[in-house]
Amino acid sequence: MYTLSNRLRLFSIILMVVGGIGLVSGFLSTPKTIEEVKEKMAAHDAHGGGHGESHAEESGHGNQNHGEAAADAHGGDEHYKHVLHQLQNKPWASLYVAAFFFFMIALGVLAFYAIQFAAQAGWSPVLFRVMEAITAYLVPGGIILFVILALSGFHVNHLFVWADPKVVEHDALIQGKSGWLNGTGFIIRAAIFLGGWLLYRHFAVKYSRLQDEDATGNKWYKKSFKISAGFLVFFIYTESMMSWDWIMSFDPHWFSTLFGWYVFASLFVSGITTIALITIYLKSKGYMEFVNNSHIHDLAKFMFGISIFWTYLWFSQFMLIWYSNIPEEVTYFITRIEDYKLPFFGMLAMNFIFPLLVLMNSDFKRVNWFVVMAGIVILCGHYIDVYNMVMPATVGESWFIGVSEISAVLLFLGLFLFVVFRALTKAPLLAKGNPYIEESKHFHY
Amino acid sequence: MASKVIHALYIDDDVLMDAVKKVRAEHYHIEEVFTPFPVHGLDKAMGLPHTRLAITSFMYGCVGLTVAILMMNFIMIEDWPQDIGGKPSFSYLENMPAFVPIMFELTVFFAAHLMVITFYMRSRLWPFKEAENPDLRTTDDHFLMEVDAGNHDVDTLTSLLSDTGAVEIKVIDKEEDNH
């Protein structure tokens, strides 16, 4: 049995407290009125000549965007209003990105877990308890995400532009999509997705525990196998729709057919990486002697392979849109390349080139610190991936990875560590009733 | 110079593995082992070094990538930068996404084919190559271990081999060494 050390508990609580305080201060420091924005921008301009120059360019750019508005008498204020909305969105968006990122890790692990059952994998059963513990985060993470989605779906904040009736009034494109994109449907769908995933998670863990107690005839194992196969079918549909609802609808004018797969690859590789990191941590503490370096090697292979799969999907989406250059589609990438150059291309280096070169060598995949290093870069890279998906549509060019972004990550990281490591104490770390457990213990590659 | 080798035949790969370990423990030199199929772990038991084929493949892949980049940079950007459907051919980077499929395929092509050819050359395989099979049965259901008798006492060696479960032991005089 694993016991949660006081240091780890304290560490996660400190993370949560620090993150919470930072996030609250992020919310408090958002400007309330246009006048505040003006003051802030003026102060910013006064700071340095170089900055001011680039800023003047930026505001010129903003006015171009609002050419129609500029023709109005209040044309000048229209830009500040725009910036005000972006700045008000910023703490919400950073909260959302972090909430979604940690939730998607748990969801990726859940999908991986189901695949291991459905494929009757012989290598992974020693890792099942780690996976079960990570998926424990689905419950609190899912509830928090649901609350944020509900708030946004009913327009408490400006995260989803389609939720704003004033915007929809003047937007024929969103009106055409309002059969799908409306607050009520949004919440109902989110409840169905989350409900289905949590239901599978509940029964998979329950059957896994029951199989430990009574392995005769593998009754519970067979049930696990069946619900896993069923869950995977449910998952691939709901995951795809989830990505439309929770990510793609930030840009309601834009659509992409492989977006669901793209989000899936992102959450899958983050999930596998987290399994590897937590397994290595527990092994280093002496809790998992039955895990050998072949297991780590296999996880690292998955990290490597799925990173490349993610890149394949990223590039397929990017290249098709770049190549055909249809205005209605290509704006998505133009805003990202113009305003988010570093995060947009930086994540490509972190999610593709780095794991490609580090994890290609078979020997390196057995070296724990190599896997940990690659894993941390992959996780940061996929955080930026989510950041790139959400931020351009919510805060636009007013983005900055500052107090509210980092605090939100710390808050959810603390919660994640707390929930996952507490879940690890609930059951023995070896699923001894699993029919493949002996094979898995002697797994050797 | 004629050299003496001993051919020991086995009919089971597990027995063969044990025999290889025993013979190596007694410090005899195993010239070669002939098997009808890959025996997992045999290379480790024989103490063979790791293959470096994967490293060559990586380098060939780098060559392929370089070829693709240089080729398309010359053709599409330097030699005749035409406007083809509005694609920006001012610099390589600007038009790079259009070149990625070719860069990828040439990397794989070079890595795969040159590695296969390296494998053929290193293991001396070609169409009209004379087979080096010491016993026809080794391609079907027998395993053959060839031990260098050299300066050792043949009788103790054969008795050791028969103890390891060999079904047939032959002492062969080799006229020439084909290694």
Side-chain angles (χ1 to χ4, degrees), chain A residues 369-415:
Chain A
W369 69 268
F370 251 97
V371 179
V372 170
M373 184 178 64
I376 289 170
V377 172
I378 289 175
L379 285 180
C380 294
H382 283 281
Y383 171 78
I384 296 176
D385 185 20
V386 179
Y387 188 85
N388 276 329
M389 290 194 265
V390 173
M391 288 296 178
T394 49
V395 304
E397 61 264 48
S398 308
W399 71 277
F400 182 67
I401 297 191
V403 176
S404 54
E405 281 78 6
I406 292 168
S407 312
V409 170
L410 293 183
L411 172 67
F412 284 100
L413 178 67
L415 183 67

Side-chain angles (χ1 to χ4, degrees), chain A residues 160-236:
Chain A
F160 294 97
V161 82
W162 54 260
D164 186 347
K166 268 188 252 155
V167 172
V168 179
E169 223 173 277
H170 304 291
D171 194 323
L173 277 173
I174 300 182
Q175 281 166 21
K177 292 181 183 183
S178 59
W180 180 274
L181 286 181
N182 56 70
T184 323
F186 186 73
I187 294 307
I188 293 172
R189 284 193 302 276
I192 293 172
F193 304 157
L194 285 167
W197 301 336
L198 290 178
L199 209 63
Y200 167 71
R201 197 261 160 192
H202 174 77
F203 282 105
V205 172
K206 188 177 163 193
Y207 292 164
S208 163
R209 304 279 194 274
L210 286 170
Q211 174 74 16
D212 263 12
E213 285 161 22
D214 176 23
T216 43
N218 288 327
K219 185 177 151 210
W220 301 107
Y221 173 77
K222 285 175 187 165
K223 285 194 179 198
S224 284
F225 175 78
K226 280 181 199 154
I227 60 168
S228 299
F231 165 73
L232 285 171
V233 176
F234 175 79
F235 173 75
I236 206 59

Side-chain angles (χ1 to χ4, degrees), chain A residues 81-141:
Chain A
K81 204 175 161 197
H82 190 62
V83 175
L84 175 69
H85 281 302
Q86 290 183 340
L87 290 177
Q88 283 177 338
N89 262 343
K90 202 167 164 285
W92 281 106
S94 47
L95 176 74
Y96 185 86
V97 171
F100 182 80
F101 176 69
F102 284 96
F103 178 80
M104 93 177 185
I105 289 177
L107 188 61
V109 173
L110 191 70
F112 191 71
Y113 181 74
I115 289 172
Q116 299 307 305
F117 263 103
Q120 303 184 11
W123 68 277
S124 53
V126 292
L127 306 172
F128 277 176
R129 286 291 145 83
V130 174
M131 298 187 210
E132 285 166 13
I134 297 173
T135 57
Y137 180 75
L138 280 176
V139 185

Side-chain angles (χ1 to χ4, degrees), chain B:
Chain B
M1 197 188 87
S3 67
K4 252 197 187 91
V5 293
I6 296 182
H7 282 177
L9 280 128
Y10 299 87
I11 50 170
D12 188 279
D13 48 341
D14 283 337
V15 180
L16 172 79
M17 285 282 280
D18 288 339
V20 166
K21 282 171 195 158
K22 268 185 208 153
V23 171
R24 271 187 36 100
E26 299 287 329
H27 299 294
Y28 287 108
H29 176 63
I30 299 173
E31 284 281 341
E32 195 68 84
V33 176
F34 295 87
T35 64
F37 52 77
V39 177
H40 194 75
L42 184 61
D43 50 343
K44 227 177 214 170
M46 286 173 70
L48 297 179
H50 272 297
T51 173
R52 288 169 294 176
L53 212 49
I55 298 168
T56 66
S57 180
F58 177 75
M59 294 192 290
Y60 296 146
C62 294
V63 172
L65 184 64
T66 313
V67 167
I69 292 172
L70 292 179
M71 178 180 77
M72 283 179 301
N73 185 49
F74 178 71
I75 297 173
M76 303 300 289
I77 310 296
E78 284 175 10
D79 190 32
W80 197 358
Q82 271 200 108
D83 182 345
I84 304 167
K87 284 276 159 288
S89 46
F90 307 108
S91 73
Y92 190 80
L93 210 57
E94 267 181 299
N95 209 0
M96 200 197 68
F99 302 144
V100 166
I102 299 155
M103 285 154 65
F104 170 74
E105 293 293 347
L106 277 185
T107 308
V108 174
F109 179 87
F110 273 63
H113 288 83
L114 292 180
M115 176 176 71
V116 167
I117 293 168
T118 308
F119 168 71
Y120 286 154
M121 286 165 66
R122 286 295 288 151
S123 46
R124 297 158 208 257
L125 285 174
W126 55 85
F128 299 103
K129 151 123 181 165
E130 204 180 323
E132 292 170 2
N133 196 353
D135 192 310
L136 274 182
R137 290 170 296 174
T138 61
T139 61
D140 183 15
D141 59 352
H142 279 61
F143 303 83
L144 188 149
M145 177 162 55
E146 186 179 293
V147 187
D148 179 24
N151 315 317
H152 305 294
D153 180 24
V154 174
D155 289 333
T156 47
L157 184 49
T158 43
S159 71
L160 171 74
L161 287 171
S162 59
D163 282 347
T164 61
V167 290
E168 201 178 310
I169 296 169
K170 286 184 282 189
V171 183
I172 308 272
D173 280 315
K174 266 195 178 171
E175 271 315 308
E176 65 201 277
D177 203 347
N178 52 11
H179 288 288

